[in-house]
Amino acid sequence: MITFTPLSGAAHNSQTSPLCYLLQVDDVKILLDCGSPDWEPEKKETPYAWEEYCHSLRECAPTIDLVLLSNGDLQHSGLYAYAHSRWGLKAPTYTTLPVQAMARIASIEEVEGLRDEQDIGDQYQVTDGEDGSIRPEGEEEKVPESITKSGKYVATLREVQDSFDSVNTLRYSQPAHLQGKCQGLTITPFNAGHSIGGTIWKIRSPSSGTIMYCVDFNHMKERHLDGTVLLRSGGIFEPLARPDLLITSADRASVISSRRKDRDAALMDTVTATLSSRSSLLLPCDSSTRVLELLVLLDQHWNYSKLRFPICFLSRTASEMLTFVRSMMEWLGGTVSKEDVGEDGSGHHRQDRKRRRGDDDDNEDALGAFSLRFRHLELFPNPQALIQKYSSKDPKLILAVPASLSHGPSRQLFCSFAAVPDNVILLTGRSEPGTLGRILFDKWNDSQRQETKWDNGKIGSNIMMDGTMRLQMKSKEPLQGAELEQYLQKEQAAREKEAASQAALARQQRILEADEDDSDSDSDSDEDEEDEVRRALGQTDDPDERSLKSRKGDNSDGNDWNHIDDEGLTKQLLSFDIYLKGNVSKATSFFKHVGGQTHRFRMFPYVEKKRRVDEYGETVDVGMWLRKSKILEDEAESDDIKDYRRRQAEEELKKAALEPPSKFVTTEVEVQMACRLLFVDLEGLSDGRAIKTIIPQISPRKMVIVHATDDATDALIQSCANIRVMTKDIHAPRIGESVQIGQQISSFSISISDELLSSMKMSRFEDNEVGFVTGRVVTSASSIIPILEPVSVSALPKPVAARPGAEATSRLLGSRPPATLPSSTMIGELKLTALKSRLTAIGVQAELVGEGVLICGGGAKYDGASDALEETVAVRKTGTGRVELEGNVSDVYYVVRKEIYALHALVAA
C-alpha cells in the first residue's frame, strides 16, 4: 500500500513552494525533496508561514528511511542541511552529482547571506545522554532539539558541508538496488531538464509497482541543457511509460508560455537599449541553477554584438559554481557542447584553439568547457567591491543574488538602483509569494493589458515605476567608541572567567586522576610506608617531590623515576644504595636481637599500585580511550587531508581575526521608485500545453497532483477528464492530508535451495527475472526464513489401497488416470508498434489496419498479389492480456509468433 502526504507545496494552495513530500511504500518512508522557504518575507507574520511545515518535518525526520532530491535549488534542497544536522534526518540520501554540488552552493550562499545580516540566535536544548553518561543498549540516539530566537532554521557553514558530503550520487539511468530496510526497492534517476542534474525519480517496489516522481521538468532544449528524457522520437521514453503512480506538479498547467525566440529578443533588446543610453540594469537571479542559462545567453549576445560593457555577478559562491560547472560537461547539452568542440559556425577554429590554449594557463579556466569561460563576466563578493571598481554612473549589467530580493546584494542594490531614472530592473522569475520579488512581479503584471499578461503567451512591455516603498534593511556594522570599549571589557571578563573555570576543571581532573588508589586503604598504607622511609633517611617533603607524586597518575607504567630532573635531588637519592624501611640504623643484621625485636630487610623502594575495581571488574578510563582513538584517527589520515585541515583552520583563524567586533542593525528606509520594470520568463519549465500533452502520453494508472494553485489543479484535472484513455483515479491532496493508494499487500521472504535454483528457468521481465517453481517449504531451527526444496519422489502422496469388499473401478489395460498438465504463462503487454518495428527489422512487411490489428506478410503490401495473401498473418488485441494470431500455417506465421514470444517473459511450467 502507498501513502502519500504533502508536507509543503501541495495542490489547491497559493503557497506552492517549497517542495517536500512524504511517500510511504509499505513500511518504508521516503522523503521526496526537502526545500526551504524564503526566510525574509516582507510581511512579518507571527507565527511564520513555515512553522507548520518545519514542525511536521521535525516530527517525521528521525523515522525517514530514504531521501531523494530532484533539483539543486533552495525550493527543493534548501532545508536538507538543517534537518540532517539538527532534526535527525540521517537516512540515506540519493541525488545526481550536479544536484549535490548546486544544492551545496545555494545553501552556502543563503547561509552566509543571512548570517551576515542578522543574528539567527541558535540555541541547543541538551537531551539525555549528552552529559557523558553511557546510553543503555537498544535505546535510540536522541538528537538535540534546536531552538532559534529568530524562528528561522538556518544551518551553519560547517553543517552544510558535512550534510551534503554524506549524500550518495548516481548517474542518469543508473539503477540503485537498496539494502537494509529499503531492500527490494530500486531507484533510477532520469533527466528532467530545468536545471543541471535535474531528476525524474523512478521507484520500483516488488509489492506496489512503479512510482514516478516528476516535478518541475522542461521538454524544451535550452542553451546549456537538453530537454527532459520523457519525450523521445515523438513518444514517451519506454522505461517511464505507464507507471502505477505518477506524482507530478501542475504549477504552470494554466499558463501559456511565449516563444523562446520572442523572450530572448525582448531580453537582449532591452539590455542593448539600456546600456547604449548609458544606464544600467539589475537582474536578480539565483546562485546556482537557472543563472547558467542567463550567463550563456548574455555571453553569446556580448560576443555577437561586440559589446564592451561589463557584466557584474554579485555572489560569494560564483567562482566555485563556475569551476564546478566547467568540469561537468557530460551533464550539459544544448549549444554549450557544440561550442566546446569549436562548432560555432565562424570558421576561425585555429585562431580559437590558439586563444583557448592560452586561456588554459589561467587557474580559473584550467578545466572545463571553452564556451563557459565568460570573458566579459566579472565576479564580486559584495556591493562594496562593485562600487570600488565601477561608479554608479557607469553603464553595466548587474546580476545579483538572491532572485527574491529578500536579503543580500540584490536587496542592497535595489534601494539605490530604483531611485535612478532610466535604470531597468529585469525580473526573470516570479519568486515566492510575500517576497519583494513577487511584489514587483505583481506590480508589473497588473499594469499589463489583459492580452499581454505573462500567462497568455505574449511578451509584455516595461513600465515606469513611481511612488515610494518602505523597506526594512538589515546589516552588520563594526562597533565604535564606547560600544567597542564595553564589548572589549565584557570579552576580557568572559575570557578570565573561562580561564578560571578551565583551571578549576583541570585542577579537579588532576586531583581525580592523580592516584587512583587514594580512596583505598591499601593505597593509604603505602603512602605511610613511603613517608616512614623518607623520615628514616632524614629527607624532607620537597616541593619537587610533591609535584612528582602528583604526576604519578599520568604514567600508567609506574616509571616515575624518569621524571626526576632535579640535580640535587638526584644526588641525594644516589647517596644511598637502597632505602631502608622502618626507623632503623644502616648496620642491620639478619639475626634477631636479644630483646626479640625483628629487624626489617633491606628492600627496593617500590610501592605497588592498586587498580580501582568495582562489581564488574576493573574500571575503564573512558577519557584515555577517547584520547587514544583520536591519536589513531590522526595517524590514519593522509598528508593531503592533514594539510587541507590545517589550511582550513588557518583560514578560519584569519577570518575570525580580520573580522572586527560588530553588531546587527535594522533600519527602515524609504525608496523613491523612478526606474523601469520588466519581466521576462526564464524559469525553464514546461507550460500548460506541454503538461496536458505529455501526461496523457505517460498514461499512468493513478496520479497525484502537487505544487499547484487552485486554478492550475482544476485545469489539469479537467484536461485529463476529457481524455478517454486517461485514468480517472487522480488525487490532489492538501497540506497534511494523507492519500492511501492501492491495497495492503503482505509480502513474505523465502529462500530457494541450491538444488532447486539450478534447475529453474528464468525469464527477463523489465527489471526482474521471473520463473515458475514447484517445491516443498521446509523450516529450519537455525534460520527464521523457510527454505523451498524440490519435491522428492518419496514425498509424493501414495495411492490409497482399495478397501476389501469395495467394487474395483473398471479401467482399460495400459491406461493412466487423467492428470492436469501445467501450462506456461506469458507476462507482459504486447504493443503492436513495437512488434511492427521488430518485424520490419528482420524484413517482414507489417502495417497497422484499424484499431488493434496488425497485418503481417504479403497482405501488408498495397500492390500485393492474390497468391501472397496465403502468407498473410493478422495479429489482433481483443482485450486486456489477450492476443489472437490468425493466418495460414507458413513461414511468416512462425516468424511472427516467435517475435510475439520474444516481447513477453515466458514462464515455463
Side-chain angles (χ1 to χ4, degrees):
M1 185 174 64
I2 301 174
T3 304
F4 181 81
T5 307
L7 303 182
S8 178
H12 298 291
N13 196 347
S14 59
Q15 193 80 15
T16 58
S17 61
L19 282 72
C20 186
Y21 312 103
L22 180 60
L23 175 68
Q24 183 172 352
V25 181
D26 296 334
D27 295 333
V28 179
K29 291 185 177 181
I30 306 174
L31 189 67
L32 304 175
D33 284 330
C34 187
S36 65
D38 194 291
W39 304 111
E40 285 295 323
E42 293 303 313
K43 295 181 179 179
K44 302 296 189 294
E45 300 177 354
T46 53
Y48 292 108
W50 57 77
E51 283 295 337
E52 181 181 357
Y53 160 53
C54 293
H55 177 73
S56 302
L57 180 59
R58 181 169 59 245
E59 291 293 328
C60 68
T63 63
I64 298 296
D65 303 310
L66 178 65
V67 181
L68 302 178
L69 303 178
S70 62
N71 287 276
D73 53 5
L74 295 175
Q75 290 186 353
H76 297 80
S77 310
L79 199 58
Y80 172 74
Y82 193 94
H84 178 272
S85 303
R86 309 194 188 184
W87 290 344
L89 187 62
K90 304 296 183 180
T93 305
Y94 289 87
T95 187
T96 57
L97 181 61
V99 170
Q100 179 199 30
M102 293 301 173
R104 185 204 308 265
I105 291 171
S107 300
I108 290 175
E109 181 70 38
E110 183 190 42
V111 164
E112 292 184 343
L114 288 173
R115 291 185 176 274
D116 196 44
E117 292 183 355
Q118 56 184 296
D119 183 16
I120 301 300
D122 295 332
Q123 292 182 353
Y124 295 93
Q125 180 178 349
V126 180
T127 58
D128 297 338
E130 291 190 355
D131 54 353
S133 60
I134 301 176
R135 184 179 296 106
E137 185 178 359
E139 182 179 348
E140 296 183 357
E141 180 181 357
K142 296 182 180 180
V143 179
E145 182 180 356
S146 61
I147 304 173
T148 58
K149 296 180 181 178
S150 60
K152 301 164 187 175
Y153 304 97
V154 182
T156 61
L157 187 61
R158 174 65 62 184
E159 291 171 347
V160 173
Q161 296 286 4
D162 294 342
S163 299
F164 285 102
D165 284 343
S166 64
V167 174
N168 304 303
T169 58
L170 299 174
R171 299 186 303 272
Y172 282 151
S173 303
Q174 175 189 354
H177 304 282
L178 305 181
Q179 301 298 327
K181 188 176 180 180
C182 303
Q183 186 172 6
L185 292 181
T186 302
I187 57 174
T188 309
F190 294 93
N191 181 22
H194 176 59
S195 66
I196 179 172
T199 304
I200 296 174
W201 284 105
K202 178 184 177 182
I203 308 169
R204 183 160 185 83
S205 169
S207 59
S208 302
T210 303
I211 303 169
M212 191 165 71
Y213 178 62
C214 177
V215 296
D216 290 347
F217 60 91
N218 186 15
H219 69 290
M220 297 294 294
K221 184 177 181 180
E222 297 185 285
R223 283 175 169 79
H224 79 293
L225 290 175
D226 291 329
T228 178
V229 76
L230 276 173
L231 296 179
R232 286 285 184 89
S233 302
I236 295 298
F237 189 40
E238 183 67 24
L240 298 179
R242 194 64 175 164
D244 294 285
L245 175 63
L246 172 65
I247 304 171
T248 186
S249 59
D251 187 29
R252 299 169 68 95
S254 59
V255 174
I256 300 177
S257 298
S258 56
R259 295 190 304 172
R260 171 182 161 183
K261 183 187 299 184
D262 297 338
R263 297 198 303 267
D264 295 348
L267 180 66
M268 294 299 100
D269 291 346
T270 303
V271 169
T272 305
T274 304
L275 294 177
S276 301
S277 61
R278 309 297 297 176
S279 298
S280 300
L281 296 96
L282 174 62
L283 276 73
C285 61
D286 66 297
S287 59
S288 59
T289 53
R290 292 304 305 169
V291 70
L292 288 173
E293 178 72 12
L294 195 57
L295 290 176
V296 174
L297 175 61
L298 294 174
D299 186 69
Q300 292 179 355
H301 179 65
W302 251 246
N303 293 332
Y304 180 79
S305 302
K306 308 297 182 183
L307 298 178
R308 293 293 180 263
F309 303 103
I311 303 177
C312 306
F313 188 15
L314 272 71
S315 174
R316 295 177 175 86
T317 58
S319 178
E320 180 183 357
M321 182 267 295
L322 293 176
T323 301
F324 173 80
V325 171
R326 292 183 185 118
S327 64
M328 288 288 106
M329 279 302 299
E330 67 271 18
W331 297 89
L332 298 175
T335 60
V336 169
S337 57
K338 293 183 179 180
E339 291 179 2
D340 184 51
V341 296
E343 300 178 7
D344 55 354
S346 61
H348 303 292
H349 303 289
R350 183 176 304 174
Q351 181 179 357
D352 290 344
R353 281 197 298 269
K354 183 177 180 181
R355 174 179 58 81
R356 291 166 182 170
R357 193 180 301 113
D359 290 342
D360 286 341
D361 297 335
D362 299 334
N363 292 331
E364 62 178 357
D365 297 336
L367 296 173
F370 294 115
S371 57
L372 297 176
R373 298 305 172 95
F374 303 127
R375 292 179 299 146
H376 309 281
L377 182 65
E378 300 182 30
L379 306 180
F380 298 92
N382 48 54
Q384 290 74 20
L386 174 65
I387 295 174
Q388 290 178 0
K389 185 169 184 179
Y390 294 106
S391 172
S392 59
K393 298 180 180 179
D394 295 336
K396 52 189 172 296
L397 175 64
I398 304 175
L399 301 171
V401 296
S404 60
L405 292 97
S406 58
H407 65 278
S410 60
R411 189 178 184 89
Q412 298 176 24
L413 289 174
F414 174 79
C415 295
S416 59
F417 200 89
V420 180
D422 296 331
N423 279 356
V424 176
I425 297 178
L426 188 57
L427 303 177
T428 57
R430 293 173 294 164
S431 300
E432 188 175 331
T435 60
L436 178 58
R438 189 57 171 263
I439 293 174
L440 294 178
F441 167 76
D442 293 338
K443 185 178 183 63
W444 174 86
N445 196 37
D446 295 339
S447 301
Q448 303 297 314
R449 299 191 304 272
Q450 183 62 34
E451 62 272 10
T452 59
K453 290 185 180 295
W454 82 280
D455 55 351
N456 290 332
K458 302 293 183 181
I459 301 295
S461 57
N462 59 52
I463 62 172
M464 179 67 72
M465 301 180 65
D466 55 0
T468 59
M469 181 180 295
R470 296 192 63 84
L471 298 178
Q472 189 179 69
M473 302 298 297
K474 298 181 179 180
S475 60
K476 184 166 64 173
E477 298 179 357
L479 297 178
Q480 296 177 356
E483 291 181 341
L484 180 59
E485 294 180 1
Q486 185 179 3
Y487 172 78
L488 294 177
Q489 292 176 0
K490 289 184 178 180
E491 192 177 36
Q492 180 66 24
R495 282 199 299 265
E496 293 176 355
K497 184 178 180 180
E498 179 68 19
S501 62
Q502 292 293 337
L505 289 175
R507 184 169 59 253
Q508 184 180 4
Q509 187 71 14
R510 285 197 302 270
I511 293 174
L512 293 175
E513 296 180 357
D515 193 353
E516 297 179 359
D517 303 322
D518 286 345
S519 61
D520 297 342
S521 59
D522 296 339
S523 174
D524 295 338
S525 62
D526 292 338
E527 292 294 335
D528 295 340
E529 291 179 1
E530 281 194 60
D531 295 339
E532 185 179 356
V533 171
R534 294 183 184 278
R535 288 194 299 269
L537 296 175
Q539 298 178 12
T540 58
D541 195 3
D542 192 74
D544 294 330
E545 289 291 316
R546 287 197 303 267
S547 63
L548 175 62
K549 188 184 297 183
S550 66
R551 289 196 300 266
K552 266 188 176 181
D554 297 336
N555 193 348
S556 59
D557 298 334
N559 299 328
D560 297 333
W561 293 89
N562 298 329
H563 296 286
I564 303 176
D565 297 328
D566 187 80
E567 185 177 359
L569 180 61
T570 305
K571 289 181 179 179
Q572 184 181 4
L573 293 176
L574 291 178
S575 61
F576 303 95
D577 292 336
I578 58 176
Y579 284 115
L580 295 177
K581 277 198 172 185
N583 189 10
V584 295
S585 62
K586 295 181 181 178
T588 307
S589 174
F590 289 94
F591 301 99
K592 295 184 178 181
H593 285 258
V594 179
Q597 180 182 0
T598 303
H599 299 281
R600 302 194 181 188
F601 295 100
R602 302 188 181 192
M603 301 179 64
F604 190 78
Y606 173 75
V607 178
E608 182 182 3
K609 290 188 175 182
K610 304 295 191 301
R611 297 189 179 274
R612 191 185 302 275
V613 296
D614 55 12
E615 59 270 19
Y616 296 103
E618 181 182 349
T619 58
V620 180
D621 186 1
V622 180
M624 181 190 69
W625 288 105
L626 292 178
R627 290 191 297 269
K628 187 64 176 178
S629 64
K630 180 64 175 177
I631 295 174
L632 294 177
E633 290 176 0
D634 295 341
E635 292 177 354
E637 289 183 351
S638 62
D639 295 337
D640 296 337
I641 297 178
K642 291 180 180 178
D643 294 341
Y644 171 74
R645 292 185 183 278
R646 186 174 61 254
R647 289 195 305 268
Q648 193 173 17
E650 291 176 355
E651 291 177 359
E652 291 179 357
L653 290 176
K654 290 180 180 179
K655 184 177 179 181
L658 293 176
E659 185 177 357
S662 56
K663 62 179 179 178
F664 295 105
V665 179
T666 302
T667 57
E668 291 279 346
V669 297
E670 185 172 336
V671 181
Q672 183 66 37
M673 310 296 292
C675 64
R676 293 185 174 273
L677 180 64
L678 177 64
F679 171 78
V680 178
D681 183 17
L682 291 179
E683 292 182 350
L685 295 170
S686 296
D687 62 350
R689 294 173 299 183
I691 293 175
K692 296 173 184 177
T693 303
I694 294 174
I695 290 180
Q697 293 184 26
I698 297 176
S699 186
R701 292 179 173 85
K702 296 178 178 62
M703 188 170 69
V704 174
I705 298 177
V706 296
H707 189 46
T709 60
D710 289 332
D711 296 338
T713 304
D714 296 338
L716 183 57
I717 293 177
Q718 182 63 33
S719 175
C720 294
N722 296 332
I723 301 176
R724 181 174 59 86
V725 298
M726 185 63 187
T727 179
K728 301 302 186 288
D729 195 354
I730 301 176
H731 305 274
R734 301 180 183 271
I735 292 179
E737 179 183 351
S738 298
V739 176
Q740 292 185 353
I741 300 171
Q743 299 177 353
Q744 182 67 35
I745 299 176
S746 300
S747 59
F748 303 93
S749 299
I750 192 169
S751 178
I752 300 177
S753 64
D754 297 337
E755 182 182 358
L756 184 60
L757 187 62
S758 61
S759 62
M760 290 176 58
K761 294 181 180 180
M762 306 296 292
S763 299
R764 190 75 179 176
F765 175 65
E766 294 186 357
D767 298 334
N768 302 313
E769 291 186 356
V770 185
F772 182 86
V773 62
T774 301
R776 182 168 59 95
V777 178
V778 178
T779 58
S780 174
S782 60
S783 176
I784 60 174
I785 300 178
I787 301 175
L788 187 65
E789 295 181 348
V791 180
S792 60
V793 178
S794 60
L796 294 176
K798 297 181 180 180
V800 180
R803 290 176 301 174
E807 290 187 17
T809 306
S810 61
R811 195 176 65 179
L812 298 177
L813 183 62
S815 64
R816 295 181 179 179
T820 303
L821 297 177
S823 60
S824 300
T825 304
M826 301 181 68
I827 301 176
E829 183 180 359
L830 177 64
K831 294 186 177 181
L832 297 181
T833 54
L835 178 61
K836 177 184 175 183
S837 301
R838 293 178 67 99
L839 293 174
T840 305
I842 60 178
V844 177
Q845 290 283 357
E847 292 292 337
L848 287 169
V849 180
E851 184 176 357
V853 180
L854 181 67
I855 303 297
C856 311
K861 301 179 182 179
Y862 295 104
D863 54 350
S866 59
D867 54 352
L869 297 178
E870 297 180 357
E871 297 186 354
T872 301
V873 177
V875 182
R876 293 186 177 88
K877 293 180 64 176
T878 58
T880 303
R882 183 174 179 84
V883 179
E884 293 183 357
L885 184 62
E886 181 181 355
N888 296 326
V889 177
S890 60
D891 293 339
V892 176
Y893 177 86
Y894 290 106
V895 169
V896 174
R897 189 182 69 172
K898 180 180 179 181
E899 293 301 323
I900 293 177
Y901 288 170
L903 291 173
H904 291 77
L906 181 62
V907 181

